[in-house]
Amino acid sequence: MRVPASSVLFEQLALPLLPALYSHAFWLSRNHAEAEDIVQETIAKALRAFSSFQTGTNFKAWIFRILRNTFLTSRTGIAASRTVFLEDLADLLEVTDTNPSPEDHLLRLNNQAALTEALERLHPQLREVLLLCEVEELKYKEIAIVLDIPVGTVMSRISRARRTLYEDLRQQLGGSV
Amino acid sequence: MIQDHKHLSHDEASAFIDGELSASAALDLEQHLTTCHSCTMLIVSAMQLKAATARAYERVVAPPEALSRLAAQLRPDAAKRPARVSFGLWAWGALAASVILVASFIGWRQTRQSNNLAAELLDQHLAVLSSGAPPEVISSDRHTVKPWFQGRLPFSFNLPEVLPDGTTLNGGDLTYLHGQPAALLLFNIGKHRASVFLIQRSRNGSASVSSGSQSGFVIQYAKTQDLGITAVSDVNPSDLALLMSALVEAQSPR
C-alpha cells in the first residue's frame, strides 16, 4: 500500500517534537498518564487537520496550539480555566520597588526552592506563557499563534508573569526593599 | 523607542531579554543602559530570573514506553486507527472490544466443542476399525445386543426390528463421549462399516437431524426425545441416512 506523502511529511515534522509536546502536556496537566493522553489526542487531531496546515509555516506553533486546545478541553484543563484571568488588570501586580539592590536580586534568585514555590503559585495562564517562552523557547509571534492572542498580549503577559514572580519572591524572603 | 529621559518599562525589559525588540529599539535600549543604573539592574534581574525559571522548569522527560507509543501513532499505517484519547472513548472501546471478544470466544468454544465431538467420534470409529478387537457384545441379534447394555447405561434405547437392505448389526460396546456413557453400535452397510453412538440427552431439546463430514467420513446427527444419535461412516450418505431413519423411528413410542 502506498503511503500518502502528507502522512510521511507529518511524521517527519511531528516526531522530533514529541518530547517537547509531552513535556508541555505534563506541565499543563501535572500528570504523566494525562500528558500521554493529551499528546495522543493532539496527534490524532493534527493528523486529521494536517491538510489545512500550510507547509513552510510554523509547524511547532501550529501543533502546540492544537495541544493547548486539547488540554483546555480535558478535565484538568476545564478545571484550570475556571479561574478567570483578567487581562485588563494591567497594574494590579505592578512592583512598586523600582530600585532594588543587586544583592537583593541575587538572594532571591539563588533560592531555587523559593522560586519553585513562586512558580507553583503563578496563575496557570502566566505559567503557561512562561513555559512556552523559557522551556520551549518559542518566539512571541509563535506563542501568539499557540495561545491565539495578539503579540502585544504575549509580551505583557510574560512581563506580568515575571513581575508576579518577583513580588512573590520578595514576600517569601521578607525583602524590605 | 527608549527615550533617554524615560526608564524602560517591564514589558520592554522582558521583550529585550527575550530578543523580541526590533534591531533599532534594542540599540536604543542598550544606549540607555550605558547611562542608567536602575534600568541596567532591572535587565540584570530579569535575565537572572529568566535563567532561574528555565532551570526550575526543565523539560520533563517522557517515559520511553510512552514515547514509543506516541511515535507508533505517527506512523501512517497506525494513523488510520483511532487514537486512544479520552478515558470515556477508551472505556467504551474497551467495552465493545470485550463484548466482541466474549462473543467470539463463545462462538469459538461452540465451534470447538462441535469439532471436538466430531473428532472424538471419528477417532472412536477409526479405533474400532483399526484395532481388529471384537466388540464386547458380538451379535446381529437385537434381542441380544439391547439387553447387554442394561445396567451399563443410565438410559434405554430400541433397535429397529428391520434394518435397511444391506445393513447388518455387528455388535455393540460401551463407550464414553464427553465423560458420559454411550452405546456404540457397530453396523455394516454393504462393505462399509458404520459406528453409531447413542447418548442420553435432555428432554427440552427438539428432535432434529443434521449432518457433516470430516476427513472424508460422513457424520450424521439425530435427536430424538431422549437420545442423541450420531453415525460415522465412509458409506454413501444416503445409505447412512436410511440407517439413521430406522434408528430414529425405532425410538418413537409405539
Side-chain angles (χ1 to χ4, degrees):
Chain A
M1 189 179 69
R2 192 171 176 272
V3 176
S6 61
S7 299
V8 176
L9 178 62
F10 181 83
E11 187 181 1
Q12 286 173 348
L13 291 171
L15 193 59
L17 293 178
L18 283 182
L21 288 167
Y22 185 94
S23 172
H24 196 63
F26 175 82
W27 280 121
L28 291 175
S29 65
R30 303 303 178 96
N31 180 295
H32 279 288
E34 197 174 344
E36 188 178 343
D37 278 353
I38 291 169
V39 178
Q40 276 196 357
E41 187 169 355
T42 299
I43 292 169
K45 284 179 178 173
L47 262 170
R48 287 197 294 272
F50 191 57
S51 58
S52 69
F53 173 74
Q54 293 181 331
T55 310
T57 57
N58 196 315
F59 181 80
K60 184 174 181 179
W62 180 76
I63 200 166
F64 262 71
R65 180 172 177 174
I66 295 173
L67 178 92
R68 181 177 188 265
N69 289 337
T70 302
F71 166 71
L72 288 178
T73 53
S74 72
R75 197 172 44 193
T76 309
I78 290 168
S81 63
R82 282 201 186 115
T83 311
V84 180
F85 182 74
L86 299 175
E87 202 69 56
D88 308 339
L89 302 177
D91 296 319
L92 189 67
L93 301 164
E94 191 66 58
V95 178
T96 51
D97 169 36
T98 55
N99 193 22
S101 71
E103 291 76 15
D104 288 332
H105 288 308
L106 290 174
L107 175 66
R108 293 167 194 165
L109 298 175
N110 279 340
N111 192 325
Q112 195 70 25
L115 179 62
T116 304
E117 284 180 38
L119 284 166
E120 285 300 309
R121 276 193 290 270
L122 206 56
H123 188 283
Q125 279 186 294
L126 294 181
R127 192 164 54 224
E128 180 183 24
V129 80
L130 266 190
L131 282 167
L132 292 170
C133 181
E134 316 292 29
V135 181
E136 296 308 326
E137 298 179 335
L138 293 182
K139 306 300 287 179
Y140 286 3
K141 199 163 66 177
E142 295 169 329
I143 296 172
I145 294 171
V146 175
L147 302 181
D148 196 22
I149 54 177
V151 174
T153 307
V154 173
M155 185 191 288
S156 62
R157 206 176 275 187
I158 288 174
S159 171
R160 185 175 309 160
R162 289 175 176 152
R163 276 179 286 150
T164 309
L165 285 179
Y166 267 131
E167 185 62 22
D168 193 313
L169 287 169
R170 198 165 72 106
Q171 289 177 0
Q172 274 195 78
L173 301 171
S176 56
V177 187
Chain B
M1 182 71 65
I2 310 298
Q3 304 295 327
D4 279 347
H5 62 276
K6 184 187 165 194
H7 294 299
L8 67 155
S9 70
H10 289 280
D11 286 7
E12 286 169 328
S14 266
F16 177 72
I17 64 167
D18 290 333
E20 293 283 346
L21 287 183
S22 66
S24 61
L27 188 62
D28 285 347
L29 189 145
E30 284 168 15
Q31 285 176 348
H32 173 74
L33 292 180
T34 58
T35 57
C36 180
H37 174 73
S38 63
C39 285
T40 302
M41 287 317 303
L42 185 62
I43 291 294
V44 168
S45 296
M47 290 176 76
Q48 287 175 334
L49 182 66
K50 182 178 170 69
T53 306
R55 279 199 302 275
Y57 268 150
E58 284 179 354
R59 186 176 277 174
V60 175
V61 178
E65 60 274 20
L67 268 187
S68 300
R69 285 192 291 270
L70 293 171
Q73 200 192 340
L74 289 176
R75 289 181 202 119
D77 55 336
K80 291 176 182 62
R81 293 195 301 267
R84 197 272 293 194
V85 216
S86 69
F87 176 76
L89 279 177
W90 178 85
W92 281 111
L95 182 64
S98 306
V99 169
I100 292 168
L101 191 65
V102 168
S104 305
F105 178 70
I106 290 169
W108 171 79
R109 210 171 66 161
Q110 285 174 343
T111 308
R112 193 161 182 269
Q113 278 180 345
S114 169
N115 287 343
N116 279 350
L117 180 61
E120 192 176 339
L121 291 166
L122 188 57
D123 286 348
Q124 292 209 26
H125 176 66
L126 292 173
V128 169
L129 289 181
S130 61
S131 70
E136 282 290 315
V137 53
I138 310 167
S139 174
S140 57
D141 184 353
R142 65 188 177 99
H143 297 293
T144 305
V145 172
K146 184 184 168 183
W148 181 82
F149 284 101
Q150 286 177 355
R152 292 184 168 90
L153 288 173
F155 60 92
S156 174
F157 61 90
N158 294 320
L159 281 166
E161 287 183 22
V162 181
L163 290 170
D165 286 346
T167 300
T168 54
L169 176 65
N170 292 331
D173 213 340
L174 182 68
T175 188
Y176 288 86
L177 289 176
H178 285 316
Q180 286 189 61
L184 169 57
L185 302 176
L186 303 169
F187 293 91
N188 265 11
I189 305 175
K191 292 185 177 178
H192 299 274
R193 303 282 294 271
S195 298
V196 176
F197 301 86
L198 295 97
I199 196 163
Q200 193 174 30
R201 64 185 287 267
S202 61
R203 284 169 174 262
N204 42 16
S206 58
S208 64
V209 179
S210 60
S211 66
S213 65
Q214 183 159 333
S215 306
F217 287 84
V218 181
I219 301 174
Q220 294 186 353
Y221 307 90
K223 293 176 187 172
T224 68
Q225 196 174 8
D226 301 314
L227 299 176
I229 304 173
T230 309
V232 184
S233 178
D234 59 346
V235 74
N236 187 313
S238 59
D239 291 340
L240 190 62
L242 288 174
L243 173 61
M244 287 293 279
S245 297
L247 287 166
V248 169
E249 177 67 25
Q251 310 313 314
S252 303
R254 297 187 178 96

